[in-house]
Amino acid sequence: MEAIRPVPRTLLRDRAYEAIRDAIVAGEIEPGAVVRDAELAERLGLSRAPVRDAFSQLVNEGLLESKPQSHTRVTPLVASDVRDAAAVVGAMHELVTRVAVPRLEVADIEAMRAANERFAAAVSAGDVDAALRADDELHDVLVRVSGNRAAAATVARYTPLIRRLERQRFGEGGSCRSAGLHERLIETCAAGDVDGAVLVTAEIWRGLEELAD
């Protein structure tokens, strides 16, 4: 029975964190909603301890706010917070793009093209979840190839704040990011044009800063 081992508590915390984060980003738990560890623990089939750990992480990341001895609730959507997050995430993507482009292999470029095809199809179908997932997959190629773990951690921390606003805007009939911009990024990457790829990356994330306005 060597394969049967206790599940590390950190994994339970991560499960709770990802589930609650995704529910907040998707709007299933709305801005201003009060969240209770006992209730969410029951829904997730977990004890309260990993849920409390997840709450702490989500407070640090700006998706929850906690008032001791009172309540924990989902933070409201604040435009300035989203602009700040988009500026930071954009800067990290410019950094990883500059490092990654000279290292990209044919398989990496093909992975980006395939992700952009999924992105375009999802936008046409009005599938916001699939569009944002494909968008992440495309940009994650550059993050992965760069090998910059600090940049990857920063992107992972602040992207959910941006995604929450994107989902709301698209739900209100707003437009999704252009697959054409992605195509320009891919072509500059395929050509090994570092400066061109960085400029397109900056344009993509500048658009997200403007989305907050």
Side-chain angles (χ1 to χ4, degrees), residues 3 52 86 90 186:
R52 286 196 295 267
I186 294 166

Side-chain angles (χ1 to χ4, degrees), residues 66-89:
S66 181
K67 184 177 180 180
Q69 309 303 320
S70 179
H71 63 258
T72 300
R73 67 180 182 181
V74 179
T75 55
L77 277 167
V78 179
S80 61
D81 290 344
V82 177
R83 281 196 300 271
D84 290 347
V88 170
V89 172

Side-chain angles (χ1 to χ4, degrees), residues 25 85 89 93 136 154-164 166 205:
V25 171
V89 172
H93 277 291
D136 282 338
T154 302
V155 168
R157 173 171 181 169
Y158 290 106
T159 295
L161 288 171
I162 305 166
R163 291 302 193 220
R164 192 157 59 129
E166 284 184 286
W205 290 94

Side-chain angles (χ1 to χ4, degrees), residues 2-72:
E2 291 183 2
I4 305 298
R5 297 185 178 92
V7 177
R9 177 173 171 174
T10 54
L11 295 184
L12 295 178
R13 179 201 63 201
D14 291 345
R15 281 178 52 199
Y17 163 76
E18 290 170 3
I20 299 167
R21 178 202 62 195
D22 291 349
I24 293 171
V25 171
E28 295 172 13
I29 306 177
E30 297 181 350
V34 173
V35 292
R36 297 176 176 82
D37 56 6
E39 178 183 335
L40 287 176
E42 182 176 358
R43 289 175 59 183
L44 292 169
L46 299 172
S47 68
R48 294 172 67 176
V51 173
R52 286 196 295 267
D53 289 342
F55 279 9
S56 179
Q57 186 171 351
L58 290 163
V59 168
N60 289 336
E61 294 180 3
L63 290 175
L64 291 179
E65 56 188 12
S66 181
K67 184 177 180 180
Q69 309 303 320
S70 179
H71 63 258
T72 300

Side-chain angles (χ1 to χ4, degrees), residues 82-103:
V82 177
R83 281 196 300 271
D84 290 347
V88 170
V89 172
M92 292 299 99
H93 277 291
E94 289 179 46
L95 171 64
V96 300
T97 297
R98 187 170 296 282
V99 174
V101 169
R103 302 178 180 177

Side-chain angles (χ1 to χ4, degrees), residues 104-113 141 144:
L104 290 170
E105 299 181 356
V106 172
D108 299 317
I109 298 296
E110 290 308 310
M112 293 175 73
R113 292 193 193 282
V141 171
R144 172 179 54 78

